[in-house]
Amino acid sequence: MTVRAGRFLALCCAAAICAASSSVAASPADLPAPAGTPLLTVDGAIARSNDAGRAVFDLDMLQELPARSFRTSTVWTEGVREFTGVPLKALLERLGVDGPVSVSATAINDYAVEIPADAIGDQAPIIAYHIDGATFSRREKGPLWVVFPYDAEERYRTEVTYGQSIWQLDRLTVRP
């Protein structure tokens, strides 16, 4: 092999390595790894992940997503409280979920509920991470709670909706 052919081969190999590494590099749509304590893991029919096919979120990551706040009373708390969190639909969109899906929501103690596609709207439910502007502990039903604006509409004041309002949430499984 001539020196010129050797250089050409080396350049071709270098170009191939650069092309391969750029296709593997993180794109803006990819999820970063959580820097803080993981609070929520999402698996199932998702297109974006950051941990072996799952998406793991810490509080900062959840707070970077579109947020919604509303004031409502609940059957579990006293008075009207302000809940802030990410709409479940916005979280699903961030994970590349396309089309109607149902979600199995599971709490820290393995209690689980199904949230059907027709219960997931643009504005509700939210995965609340703040009550009255502050994070809340497991003792206070936290750190994450699926909440609907119960006072806003009659349809949110049903046993079915109350049953979907899982607190101490830590896992979601998305099903087509």
Side-chain angles (χ1 to χ4, degrees), residues 89 92 99-103 114-121 124-125 164 175-176:
K89 186 171 183 179
L92 295 173
V101 295
S102 66
V103 175
E114 285 294 318
I115 303 173
D118 64 357
I120 302 171
Q164 295 165 349
R175 295 187 173 93

Side-chain angles (χ1 to χ4, degrees), residues 13 22 46 94 97-99 103 113-114 124 132 144-145 149 156 159:
C13 288
S22 68
I46 61 174
R94 176 65 178 102
V97 174
D98 189 25
V103 175
V113 299
E114 285 294 318
D132 297 329
L144 301 175
W145 185 357
Y156 295 131
E159 289 301 314

Side-chain angles (χ1 to χ4, degrees), residues 3 26 35 55 57 75 93 121 166 172:
V3 172
F57 291 86
V75 296
E93 288 171 353
I166 188 170
L172 297 173

Side-chain angles (χ1 to χ4, degrees), residues 86-170:
V86 58
L88 178 55
K89 186 171 183 179
L91 175 71
L92 295 173
E93 288 171 353
R94 176 65 178 102
L95 296 174
V97 174
D98 189 25
V101 295
S102 66
V103 175
S104 175
T106 306
I108 293 166
N109 67 357
D110 292 330
Y111 176 78
V113 299
E114 285 294 318
I115 303 173
D118 64 357
I120 302 171
D122 290 336
Q123 301 297 313
I126 65 170
I127 299 174
Y129 46 72
H130 283 157
I131 297 178
D132 297 329
T135 58
F136 52 109
S137 69
R138 286 182 180 186
R139 185 177 199 100
E140 301 168 300
K141 300 188 177 11
L144 301 175
W145 185 357
V146 175
V147 181
F148 294 81
Y150 310 103
D151 295 344
E153 295 180 40
E154 182 74 28
R155 68 184 173 125
Y156 295 131
R157 293 186 297 274
T158 67
E159 289 301 314
V160 171
T161 300
Y162 294 145
Q164 295 165 349
S165 303
I166 188 170
W167 55 78
Q168 296 179 337
L169 175 73
D170 76 339

